[in-house]
Amino acid sequence: MTITYEGDLHCAIKHGPSGVVLATDAPLDNQGRGESFSPTDLLAASLAACMATTMGIAAAKNSWELKGTRIVIKKEMIADPLRRVGRLVVDIFLNVAYDDKEMKVLTNAVTTCPVKLSISDHILVPVTFHQPA
């Protein structure tokens, strides 16, 4: 990846293999205009996408259909003593109801995804699964 600082707290991130470009901006509460993802938004998005991907891998191995599952992630910033991510609250809305054995597999996939394992213990990551009624 190549990151180019474009001024006014904006960056362009170019993915080497695909050439796709992603823009970032500082958030409204930290001198930015909030016109795009902030770097800390990308941290949260990376975690949720990694969780979805590892659940997808587990689902494929078990011939389960995970398509339609949604993850909502809420990033909470703190100043302790410096500004940083304090919590990433994860709500996973499953597409179908899974039994206890299947939930154990999905929970393991979520808690062992590479991004989750790379996040500091100083960032709390509560995860709640929601199953359809």
Side-chain angles (χ1 to χ4, degrees):
M1 291 176 278
T2 302
I3 292 84
T4 303
Y5 182 71
E6 298 181 326
D8 295 324
L9 308 180
H10 286 230
C11 291
I13 303 169
K14 184 175 183 179
H15 182 248
S18 69
V20 172
V21 177
L22 179 75
T24 67
D25 186 17
L28 291 171
D29 66 350
N30 197 29
Q31 304 178 35
R33 295 188 302 250
E35 294 176 339
S36 189
F37 293 99
S38 72
T40 54
D41 290 341
L42 294 179
L43 173 70
S46 292
L47 175 62
C50 188
M51 289 177 167
T53 301
T54 55
M55 283 194 309
I57 292 168
K61 285 181 183 176
N62 289 284
S63 299
W64 304 333
E65 179 56 63
L66 198 70
K67 187 174 182 179
T69 291
R70 294 181 304 114
I71 299 178
V72 176
I73 189 160
K74 181 182 178 194
K75 175 190 72 173
E76 297 177 0
M77 302 297 292
I78 61 173
D80 136 338
L82 300 173
R83 180 180 169 82
R84 68 175 182 84
V85 176
R87 283 176 30 120
L88 295 168
V89 181
V90 181
D91 285 287
I92 301 173
F93 296 88
L94 297 168
N95 60 331
V96 298
Y98 294 92
D99 65 27
D100 289 344
K101 183 179 174 185
E102 294 165 338
M103 283 304 302
K104 186 174 182 177
V105 170
L106 294 175
T107 300
N108 183 62
V110 164
T111 57
T112 61
C113 86
V115 174
K116 170 69 173 84
L117 294 176
S118 300
I119 290 177
S120 166
D121 291 337
H122 296 291
I123 299 175
L124 301 176
V125 185
V127 177
T128 305
F129 284 91
H130 305 271
Q131 296 201 54

